[in-house]
Amino acid sequence: DQQVKQNSPSLSVQEGRISILNCDYTNSMFDYFLWYKKYPAEGPTFLISISSIKDKNEDGRFTVFLNKSAKHLSLHIVPSQPGDSAVYFCAASRAGNTGKLIFGQGTTLQVKP
Amino acid sequence: EPEVTQTPSHQVTQMGQEVILRCVPISNHLYFYWYRQILGQKVEFLVSFYNNEISEKSEIFDDQFSVERPDGSNFTLKIRSTKLEDSAMYFCAGRRDPGNTIYFGEGSWLTVV
């Protein structure tokens, strides 16, 4: 079941630069999207979300963009910091559902000092 | 302060033994979930629980698994007869109502030997 895909398993950026993590989905019924950050042996930590009625949501250094026609979302982190190094998961859900999340495979971000 | 706390953090059990994983969501969560992540794989939905009953379960959640919230506080996942392939990180999660964001616990690492 590959309804949510993160095609880049890893990404390396220099401190201070922009990190762009991408996510694609196939189910047009998804209407709520979330990004989680995860360290090894810890639970996913919620970062930012976006509803399908919006195309952009910003929270500090984190911005999520949603392109519904392309079924694509991205997470921008600017400026990137070494502490941002972690695995980033995008997830999607449907309204009126149980709210269960379908996760992508994750992208490992490494921010080099 | 985490929204969801889980115990134990790590458990090693012999194949065929019963395991109970426990979770304490914060009081304003109304929806509860269990997810798991096998090492190197994506986070997978197991089950959702609302109003003291299962609202949705995945194909993974077979008869070996059960959930309950007996005292209105602890939310438990029981695996009756563990198999080697049950080895994974199990995450409890909760969601407020209204709200679309799901908050995860730190995880319980289960190793079946």
Side-chain angles (χ1 to χ4, degrees):
Chain A
D1 184 356
Q2 294 286 309
Q3 295 187 73
V4 179
K5 294 184 187 179
Q6 292 174 257
N7 291 316
S8 297
S10 63
L11 175 68
S12 181
V13 300
Q14 208 66 37
E15 181 179 7
R17 299 290 186 99
I18 186 171
S19 295
I20 300 176
L21 298 106
N22 294 301
C23 179
D24 297 293
Y25 62 96
T26 57
N27 190 339
S28 57
M29 299 296 290
F30 289 143
D31 56 7
Y32 195 71
F33 305 89
L34 307 90
W35 283 95
Y36 287 87
K37 177 181 180 180
K38 187 180 180 301
Y39 295 113
E42 293 185 12
T45 301
F46 170 71
L47 272 180
I48 192 168
S49 62
I50 189 166
S51 164
S52 61
I53 62 174
K54 295 185 175 182
D55 53 21
K56 178 183 174 181
N57 188 27
E58 190 172 352
D59 183 3
R61 297 186 298 114
F62 302 92
T63 303
V64 56
F65 295 92
L66 175 63
N67 183 334
K68 288 190 291 294
S69 61
K71 293 192 179 69
H72 177 84
L73 63 154
S74 60
L75 174 68
H76 292 209
I77 306 173
V78 55
S80 302
Q81 300 172 354
D84 295 330
S85 298
V87 180
Y88 288 78
F89 290 95
C90 73
S93 69
R94 288 168 49 189
N97 206 319
T98 57
K100 77 172 186 184
L101 298 176
I102 305 297
F103 280 85
Q105 304 94 314
T107 297
T108 300
L109 173 65
Q110 183 184 26
V111 180
K112 297 179 180 178
Chain B
E1 194 67 36
E3 298 247 350
V4 177
T5 56
Q6 289 186 239
T7 56
S9 57
H10 188 195
Q11 182 162 352
V12 181
T13 189
Q14 289 211 326
M15 190 169 54
Q17 295 296 303
E18 176 182 282
V19 162
I20 297 177
L21 305 178
R22 292 183 170 81
C23 167
V24 181
I26 66 171
S27 58
N28 63 355
H29 285 180
L30 295 181
Y31 297 84
F32 309 100
Y33 308 87
W34 284 99
Y35 288 77
R36 78 174 184 187
Q37 185 183 27
I38 295 171
L39 191 63
Q41 298 185 22
K42 62 168 66 178
V43 177
E44 302 174 289
F45 167 77
L46 291 178
V47 66
S48 60
F49 190 85
Y50 173 71
N51 202 23
N52 285 320
E53 61 182 22
I54 291 174
S55 48
E56 187 175 356
K57 59 183 181 180
S58 71
E59 292 177 353
I60 303 167
F61 196 88
D62 61 22
D63 292 343
Q64 295 295 320
F65 292 88
S66 63
V67 290
E68 62 177 7
R69 193 167 178 243
D71 57 6
S73 175
N74 291 290
F75 179 49
T76 63
L77 173 69
K78 181 190 291 185
I79 309 174
R80 289 191 186 82
S81 179
T82 49
K83 302 186 284 285
L84 295 176
E85 53 265 37
D86 294 328
S87 295
M89 192 79 155
Y90 287 81
F91 298 107
C92 175
R95 178 165 71 98
R96 304 176 190 131
D97 185 27
N100 293 309
T101 301
I102 294 178
Y103 297 92
F104 287 80
E106 294 287 300
S108 294
W109 182 249
L110 176 65
T111 302
V112 182
V113 296

